[in-house]
């Protein structure tokens, strides 16, 4: 189980900022200006463009914060991002839609339907940011609720 890794990693530094670069498919944990860790990511099935409404399979872009942690999700650990903002809600309503929600950083599915290679090389989420389970352990241990996250195009 992952609890073995927790005790071995308990002295990891805490990040105070997260940056996601959708174009480069990378998530970086920062402390000040220092990059503490960098992880490859998978995005929504439609990786280009900002999330506009529920079901568009896009990953949002913009400034948010981490707001809730779920150790018991369908994926290996998950941390929710504060999407939608009031701006996201207004933009979706202007288009007659619902902005959606439940955008997470998470690990792999607990009950995978595809090969490990598929999850490592394909954009496969409904708009979330997915990482390997090992990366998710570091992200879980190195972040706290409330820290800002910037998701770049």
């Amino acid at each position: 189980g992952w609890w073995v890794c927790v005790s071995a990693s308990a002295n990891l530094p805490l990040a105070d900022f997260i940056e996601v670069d959708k174009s480069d498919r990378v998530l970086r944990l920062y402390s000040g200006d220092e990059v503490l860790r960098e992880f490859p990511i998978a995005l929504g099935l439609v990786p280009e463009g900002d999330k506009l409404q529920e079901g568009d399979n896009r990953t949002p872009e913009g400034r948010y914060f981490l707001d809730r942690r779920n150790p018991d999700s369908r994926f290996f650990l998950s941390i929710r991002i504060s999407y939608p903002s009031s701006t996201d809600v207004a933009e979706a309503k202007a288009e007659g839609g619902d902005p959606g929600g439940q955008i997470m950083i998470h690990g792999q599915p607990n009950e995978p339907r595809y090969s490990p290679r598929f999850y490592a090389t394909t954009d496969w989420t409904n708009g979330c940011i997915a990482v390997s389970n090992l990366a998710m352990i570091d992200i879980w241990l190195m972040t706290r609720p409330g820290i800002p996250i910037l998701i770049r195009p």
Side-chain angles (χ1 to χ4, degrees):
W2 67 280
W3 57 90
V4 175
C5 299
V6 171
S7 61
S9 306
N11 60 355
L12 289 171
L14 275 181
D16 56 22
F17 178 70
I18 300 173
E19 177 186 48
V20 171
D21 187 320
K22 288 173 56 175
S23 299
D24 289 343
R25 301 292 191 283
V26 68
L27 179 150
R28 293 181 189 93
L29 298 179
Y30 284 87
S31 177
D33 294 335
E34 179 190 359
V35 176
L36 299 173
R37 295 280 192 286
E38 186 171 292
F39 305 105
I41 59 171
L43 298 170
L45 294 166
V46 182
E48 313 299 320
D50 191 9
K51 183 166 193 65
L52 299 175
Q53 60 189 12
E54 180 78 44
D56 65 8
N57 290 316
R58 289 194 166 113
T59 302
E61 296 168 2
R63 293 181 179 278
Y64 302 97
F65 59 90
L66 303 187
D67 71 356
R68 187 180 302 158
R69 298 158 77 86
N70 183 357
D72 301 313
S73 76
R74 293 184 305 130
F75 302 94
F76 181 81
L77 304 176
S78 67
I79 303 174
R80 193 173 72 182
I81 295 168
S82 64
Y83 175 90
S85 68
S86 54
T87 305
D88 297 319
V89 172
E91 288 172 353
K93 281 189 176 167
E95 297 293 320
D98 175 340
Q102 297 302 315
I103 301 298
M104 310 279 184
I105 301 169
H106 61 64
Q108 304 302 297
N110 292 327
E111 297 178 16
R113 292 191 304 212
Y114 304 102
S115 72
R117 178 170 167 70
F118 171 86
Y119 292 110
T121 59
T122 307
D123 288 318
W124 58 270
T125 77
N126 292 333
C128 291
I129 298 161
V131 296
S132 73
N133 290 354
L134 281 176
M136 196 61 215
I137 291 170
D138 279 0
I139 293 166
W140 185 269
L141 293 173
M142 294 174 70
T143 62
R144 295 291 176 262
I147 74 167
I149 178 169
L150 173 62
I151 306 173
R152 297 183 184 278

